[in-house]
Amino acid sequence: MSIKKERKSAHKKVHWLAYILLLIGAVMFLYPFLWMVSASLRSLEEVAVSGMSIWPDNWRWDNYAKALTAFPFGRYLVNTVITTVFPIVGTVLSSSIVGYAFARLKVRGSGILFVLVLSTMLLPGEVTMIPQFILFKNLGMLDTLYPLIVPTFFGSAFYIFLLRQFYSRLPVALEEAAIIDGCGYFKIWWKIFLPLSKPALMAVGVMVFMGSWNNFMGPLIYINSDKWKTLTLGLAGFQGTYATDTNLLMAAAVVITLPCILLFFTAQKAFMEGLTFSGSKES
């Protein structure tokens, strides 16, 4: 009995130690964001003398109004929403149907083709950047939002792999019953597999949202006019103009960052379910 108690006590100590280490790590990662929020609610003089304190003496909510009216926030927000929503739709649909084909259609050469698709993940973005730029230049799409939207409708190797793994674990009886009822492969994907893959699609959607909302390199390469700038480009220009106004800069950064944080915590459960799905597979 004493040995069991000692083991139980040691187990509890290990758990408490793990929780303490995780708490320390969480504070270390959370502190910069808290300081950013705190700086956005202070006067410029208070930011200069506040040090590591994260509690403002005087709450300056008007900093947000000043920051958002200092540049065309509404126009940049609309452009950002367009270049976020359409890539989510395009990536989810294209990657889903390709992932379904790789998972359920067993044809000669499909394995080799799947390996070739995955091998594109090894290519750094710098390799395809110039050919893509030349392509969109020849198509007359520079200084528009098309270069940020069109490529997403051709799938993404990582998301194809993720959805292919999800579909490969779904029971074979589902499509066998659908085939008996006279459904084709496209109808099976649309009517059966797509509705069942909501957790995986949610995970893909969240990751695409994060990448598209925070995309800076793409707009920087393809967009020149102020009419089509996104929030990331607007924030970069804001930083150049108001670099000394740290409080206003932090206020703008908080507003732009907040949607990603809210979305992740709202969809966290579905996101984790999509990444850790382990449904039964029937042969």
Side-chain angles (χ1 to χ4, degrees):
M1 293 294 291
S2 59
I3 296 176
K4 289 184 178 180
K5 287 183 179 179
E6 289 178 1
R7 287 180 178 177
K8 190 175 181 180
S9 177
H11 192 64
K12 286 184 178 180
K13 289 180 180 178
V14 171
H15 268 273
W16 278 109
L17 180 61
Y19 288 138
I20 292 172
L21 292 176
L22 288 173
L23 181 61
I24 294 173
V27 171
M28 291 177 62
F29 280 99
L30 188 61
Y31 175 79
F33 177 75
L34 294 177
W35 188 91
M36 180 174 69
V37 175
S38 174
S40 70
L41 295 169
R42 290 172 168 164
S43 64
L44 189 59
E45 295 77 12
E46 191 178 350
V47 171
V49 299
S50 62
M52 297 183 65
S53 172
I54 59 173
W55 192 261
D57 294 332
N58 299 305
W59 297 70
R60 303 289 296 272
W61 295 100
D62 59 318
N63 287 343
Y64 285 88
K66 292 178 182 177
L68 298 183
T69 54
F71 67 108
F73 177 80
R75 183 193 307 162
Y76 295 167
L77 177 61
V78 171
N79 294 337
T80 303
V81 170
I82 292 173
T83 56
T84 300
V85 172
F86 281 100
I88 290 175
V89 175
T91 302
V92 165
L93 291 179
S94 58
S95 299
S96 175
I97 193 169
V98 175
Y100 166 75
F102 279 129
R104 315 304 286 201
L105 304 184
K106 303 302 180 183
V107 298
R108 182 180 297 178
S110 61
I112 297 175
L113 187 59
F114 181 62
V115 171
L116 289 176
V117 171
L118 289 184
S119 66
T120 61
M121 295 173 61
L122 301 176
L123 293 174
E126 292 77 9
V127 173
T128 58
M129 187 182 297
I130 295 177
Q132 224 174 30
F133 179 85
I134 295 173
L135 173 63
F136 285 116
K137 180 181 179 182
N138 294 335
L139 292 174
M141 292 184 179
L142 293 184
D143 200 25
T144 68
L145 300 180
Y146 291 114
L148 307 177
I149 297 173
V150 173
T152 63
F153 283 83
F154 293 90
S156 169
F158 174 73
Y159 300 129
I160 290 172
F161 169 75
L162 181 67
L163 291 168
R164 185 255 185 192
Q165 296 302 104
F166 186 94
Y167 288 136
S168 64
R169 295 189 181 114
L170 292 177
V172 178
L174 291 173
E175 58 187 326
E176 290 178 346
I179 292 173
I180 293 174
D181 290 338
C183 293
Y185 287 115
F186 182 82
K187 193 172 183 180
I188 293 172
W189 166 72
W190 181 258
K191 293 289 187 178
I192 299 175
F193 281 75
L194 200 62
L196 289 175
S197 59
K198 286 181 181 179
L201 297 180
M202 181 69 74
V204 172
V206 170
M207 288 187 284
V208 175
F209 178 91
M210 296 288 188
S212 300
W213 185 272
N214 296 315
N215 186 12
F216 175 74
M217 187 59 67
L220 181 65
I221 293 173
Y222 296 110
I223 296 175
N224 298 317
S225 64
D226 197 62
K227 178 182 178 181
W228 300 114
K229 284 185 178 180
T230 58
L231 285 175
T232 51
L233 279 184
L235 183 62
F238 185 90
Q239 183 177 1
T241 306
Y242 296 89
T244 56
D245 296 327
T246 308
N247 53 346
L248 301 185
L249 181 61
M250 293 298 104
V254 167
V255 173
I256 295 174
T257 306
L258 197 58
C260 292
I261 298 174
L262 294 177
L263 176 67
F264 180 79
F265 283 105
T266 302
Q268 185 178 15
K269 184 178 180 181
F271 178 79
M272 296 307 298
E273 287 179 357
L275 294 180
T276 60
F277 174 79
S278 57
S280 60
K281 178 183 177 181
E282 296 182 7
S283 56

